Amino acid sequence: MEKGRLSWDEYFLTITRQVAERSTCTRAKVGAIIVRDKSILATGYNGSPSGMPHCLEVGCLVYKTQNPSGETEENCWRTIHAEMNAIAQAARNGAAIRDASVYITHSPCIHCLKTLVNTGIKHIVYEKPYKLHTLEEIVRYTEVRLEHVPLG
């Protein structure tokens, strides 16, 4: 890194923080950007589908499930995750994302990681760890590389 200048990873993660500010989730603001050759292909943040009421307006629809290790998971029926929204934006705009990188404010949930694997994204950079222990098996069996880059 040049003195006084952000690295590319820091630059893109800083942008994910701004993207996350559009989030309508009351539990966590998450932002994601898909990048290839130092150019942003798509962005996404967590919130309701277009045209639907947002959690900020009508509240969350949280449901509880139990994962195979016995931990209780809480999810919102109303919310689409940031990674899914970025993938949807890329698809809507015809941007090919195979072999691109994704930058996310938080490490992906297991469902988003599975989807990212199937899109052909192999490099995932995140700022904040989130349930990393649930991702170990997928990472072990795929070519995906998770990289933690904490920002100051």
Side-chain angles (χ1 to χ4, degrees):
M1 176 175 86
E2 295 176 37
K3 188 176 181 178
R5 190 172 188 198
L6 296 175
S7 70
W8 283 107
D9 287 344
E10 292 168 330
Y11 171 74
F12 289 124
L13 283 174
T14 300
I15 293 170
T16 66
R17 286 179 171 182
Q18 287 304 126
V19 172
E21 289 302 311
R22 288 279 306 155
S23 171
T24 59
C25 177
T26 59
R27 299 181 330 142
K29 290 182 176 288
V30 180
I33 60 173
I34 300 173
V35 174
R36 179 185 290 111
D37 299 326
K38 299 178 184 156
S39 294
I40 297 171
L41 302 175
T43 65
Y45 51 87
N46 54 334
S48 298
S50 297
M52 301 289 295
H54 296 285
C55 295
L56 287 174
E57 303 161 347
V58 293
C60 295
L61 289 175
V62 175
Y63 66 97
K64 294 180 182 182
T65 58
Q66 196 172 54
N67 69 23
S69 65
E71 295 172 300
T72 299
E73 299 273 336
E74 290 188 0
N75 292 287
C76 180
W77 283 98
R78 207 179 299 284
T79 300
I80 298 173
H81 290 187
E83 302 92 325
M84 300 292 193
N85 273 324
I87 292 166
Q89 184 184 83
R92 189 173 55 247
N93 294 324
I97 60 174
R98 180 184 301 162
D99 298 323
S101 297
V102 64
Y103 291 81
I104 317 166
T105 53
H106 300 68
S107 57
C109 74
I110 190 168
H111 304 293
C112 287
L113 179 59
K114 291 185 288 188
T115 303
L116 290 166
V117 165
N118 278 3
T119 66
I121 288 176
K122 293 186 175 64
H123 185 215
I124 300 169
V125 182
Y126 64 92
E127 178 184 359
K128 299 172 189 162
Y130 174 77
K131 298 184 182 181
L132 288 173
H133 67 283
T134 64
L135 310 179
E136 293 168 356
E137 183 177 17
I138 294 171
V139 171
R140 185 172 53 249
Y141 286 102
T142 65
E143 297 177 17
V144 155
R145 183 169 53 99
L146 284 171
E147 184 177 354
H148 179 217
V149 177
L151 295 179

